[in-house]
């Protein structure tokens, strides 16, 4: 089973800043990494899927990069409405999620 | 539009059973698998497994083998999760999520809360 190590656990950013979240996997997963946003009291929402593919309707401020074992999720020009918890999840083998990054907007 | 609507909150005692439903609409039910994800209070997401909506075959993650059963009512476009012999640690919100054969969960139910308390 592939372990996913996500960092940092929390971030506090000002509006307009750039957010970067890292996920590292214990095995090579090609580009089978997905990124979700979960706002308080809501279900997770898929933002980016395998191959660093932005999902329909998701603003281009959100992006990701990476291949193999190292992946980065980025939010450019962060907005107040981006507050929430962000999870990475690998879909190469037995599905596993990262531990989450709580994003607070100051 | 695509919707997954889950059943309401449940309050159960240890040792009891619970069945959670997830009704899909807006797409062909058998074209996508249904996955289940657990989120304990204040914790992260944990994948429980999935069910092939075409064949009905379930696959369980290691931590969810034994007391957990995925089933279908395909004629009603509904997937179910049954948990037997409930324990305090089963207290959580359980999400259903649609996924293509690439295992990417692109639509989620609103979550069903299960509280286990004596």
């Amino acid at each position: 089973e592939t372990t996913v190590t996500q960092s940092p656990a929390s971030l506090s950013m000002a509006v307009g800043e750039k957010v970067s979240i890292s996920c590292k996997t214990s095995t090579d997963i090609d580009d089978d990494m997905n990124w979700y946003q979960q706002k308080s009291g809501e279900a997770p929402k898929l933002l980016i899927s395998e191959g660093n593919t932005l999902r329909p309707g998701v603003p281009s401020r959100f992006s990701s990069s990476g291949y193999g074992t190292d992946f980065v999720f980025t939010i450019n020009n962060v907005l107040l409405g981006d507050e929430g918890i962000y999870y990475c999840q690998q879909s190469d083998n037995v599905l596993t999620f990262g531990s989450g990054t709580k994003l607070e907007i100051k | 539009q695509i919707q997954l609507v889950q059943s309401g909150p449940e309050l159960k005692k240890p040792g009891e059973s619970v069945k959670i439903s997830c009704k899909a609409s807006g797409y062909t039910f058998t074209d996508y698998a249904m996955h289940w994800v657990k989120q304990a209070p204040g914790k992260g997401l944990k994948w429980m497994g999935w069910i092939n909506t075409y064949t009905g075959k379930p696959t369980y993650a290691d931590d969810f083998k034994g007391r957990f059963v995925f089933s279908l009512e395909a004629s009603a476009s509904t997937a179910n999760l049954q948990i037997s012999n409930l324990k305090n640690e089963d207290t959580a919100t359980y999400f259903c999520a649609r996924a293509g054969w690439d295992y990417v969960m692109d639509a989620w139910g609103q979550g069903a809360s299960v509280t286990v308390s004596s």
Side-chain angles (χ1 to χ4, degrees), chain A residues 9-69:
Chain A
S10 63
L11 284 169
S12 183
M13 311 295 288
V15 171
E17 289 192 309
K18 178 180 176 178
V19 170
S20 291
I21 297 170
S22 166
C23 280
K24 297 182 185 296
T25 57
S26 60
T27 64
D28 187 324
I29 63 164
D30 295 340
D31 59 0
D32 294 339
M33 182 61 81
N34 309 288
W35 297 90
Y36 298 84
Q37 174 195 62
Q38 186 178 30
K39 295 186 177 181
S40 181
E42 297 184 5
K45 174 187 174 184
L46 178 65
L47 299 179
I48 294 175
S49 55
E50 298 175 339
N52 301 304
T53 303
L54 194 68
R55 301 299 295 186
V58 177
S60 58
R61 301 183 294 104
F62 296 91
S63 65
S64 70
S65 63
Y67 193 93
T69 61

Side-chain angles (χ1 to χ4, degrees), chain B residues 5-10 12 17-23 36-37 48 68-73 78-83 86 90 92-96 110-115:
Chain B
V5 179
Q6 297 186 238
S7 48
E10 301 269 7
K12 295 289 185 181
S17 295
V18 68
K19 189 173 186 178
I20 298 164
S21 66
C22 171
K23 182 168 176 60
W36 291 92
V37 175
M48 301 174 67
F68 300 83
V69 176
F70 306 148
S71 63
L72 300 174
E73 296 169 49
T78 297
N80 300 305
L81 164 64
Q82 184 159 351
I83 310 172
L86 282 162
D90 295 325
T93 296
Y94 293 87
F95 294 99
C96 60
Q110 82 276 20
S113 170
V114 174
T115 301

Side-chain angles (χ1 to χ4, degrees), chain B residues 13-64:
Chain B
K13 291 181 166 48
E16 293 184 335
S17 295
V18 68
K19 189 173 186 178
I20 298 164
S21 66
C22 171
K23 182 168 176 60
S25 62
Y27 70 98
T28 301
F29 184 68
T30 52
D31 282 352
Y32 292 83
M34 194 67 76
H35 291 242
W36 291 92
V37 175
K38 176 183 179 181
Q39 187 168 41
K43 301 296 186 183
L45 304 170
K46 188 162 188 177
W47 181 71
M48 301 174 67
W50 65 287
I51 186 164
N52 184 319
T53 55
Y54 189 77
T55 65
K57 180 187 174 189
T59 299
Y60 302 96
D62 285 347
D63 286 349
F64 297 97

